[in-house]
Amino acid sequence: MKKLSFLIFAAAAITLALPAAAQFAKPEDAVKYRKNALFVMQQNFARVAAMAGGKAPFDAKVAADSAAVADFVSKLPWAAFGEGTDKGDTKAKPEIWMDKAKFDEYAQKMQGEMSKLNAAAKTGNIDSIKAAVGSVGGSCKTCHDAFRM
Ligand code: ASC
């Protein structure tokens, strides 16, 4: 019994000590997690971008709601780029793990721009939204050019 309690304690301690990055049962789960998060983010961002680009009618409420979701979800993918998740059904380049600092910097940059878009969308000002959409798009592209196949 003592041994079992110890094992449970040890397992809990290890789980809590691990960074969020490692908290996936399998590497495939991490890949799926980050792809799904990026997909949900992209869908919400693209909806706002379509309005900003005049390709969809401007609806301030939809824009604000979508930007808020994109902002929140923009925080999620990064914990799923841990070591050993460079394999499988992914377009992530090995360069991510060779220059993690740069990758993290680009990820941070995008999150910052997305949070500015969220703030702009809350004001309902289409010109501010347009400018912020451009900055987010630029930050997506910078990272994709360097780190996506
Ligand atoms: C999107 C999307 C991207 C970015 C990028 C902007 O909607 O899927 O990867 O915007 O195209 O340059």
Side-chain angles (χ1 to χ4, degrees), residues 74-95:
S74 76
K75 298 166 180 29
L76 305 182
W78 321 111
F81 282 91
E83 288 294 335
T85 65
D86 55 335
K87 293 170 265 301
D89 187 16
T90 178
K91 290 186 208 146
K93 281 190 185 168
E95 279 76 4

